[in-house]
Amino acid sequence: QVQLVESGGGLVQSGGSLTLSCTASGLTFSRYTMGWFRQAPRKDRDFVAAITGSDGSTRYADSVKGRFTISSDNAKNTLYLQMNRLKPGDTAVYYCASEGTRWLSSVEAQYKAWGQGTQVTVSS
C-alpha cells in the first residue's frame, strides 16, 4: 500500500520561500512520475509540477515556472518542492501525488496515490 506524507507547509510573507517534502513508502520512486498539485479555497485542484523518477525530467505550471523547483531523492523516496518568491496567490493546500500513469502528467486523474496535503499560506 502506497503512503505519502507531506511536510514543510506553513505561513510565510510575500516574497519568502518554503520547501515542501513528501516521503513515500510502498513504491519505487524511480519507476514513476511524481507530482505536486494545489487547491485554493473554493477552487479545483490544480497542477503545479511533475518529475520523472527515471531521468529527472520536469514540467511546471506556467504560474510557478521560474519560482518553484521540483526535485526528488530516489534513495530516500522523497519528493521536494522548493518555492521561492511566494505570492498570496500561491496560498493553497499542496498535495503530493505518485504513480503517475503518463509521463510528466499534469492531469489529476492520472495519479493513483495522494498525500493528505499541507497548508501553505502567503501573507501580503
Side-chain angles (χ1 to χ4, degrees), residues 53-118:
S54 57
D55 66 3
S57 297
T58 58
R59 178 181 183 180
Y60 295 92
D62 288 343
S63 58
V64 307
K65 203 172 293 183
R67 299 188 298 123
F68 291 10
T69 302
I70 187 171
S71 62
S72 65
D73 185 332
N74 289 354
K76 296 182 179 180
N77 261 18
T78 301
L79 182 71
Y80 302 98
L81 185 69
Q82 172 69 43
M83 304 184 294
N84 298 325
R85 304 200 313 273
L86 283 160
K87 307 173 182 178
D90 295 318
T91 295
V93 177
Y94 283 71
Y95 296 90
C96 169
S98 74
E99 296 184 278
T101 57
R102 297 290 179 91
W103 191 75
L104 290 178
S105 175
S106 63
V107 178
E108 181 180 351
Q110 291 176 351
Y111 289 84
K112 293 183 179 179
W114 293 82
Q116 82 288 351
T118 185

Side-chain angles (χ1 to χ4, degrees), residues 7-25:
S7 61
L11 174 64
V12 64
Q13 288 189 331
S14 181
S17 298
L18 280 176
T19 299
L20 305 182
S21 300
C22 171
T23 300
S25 59

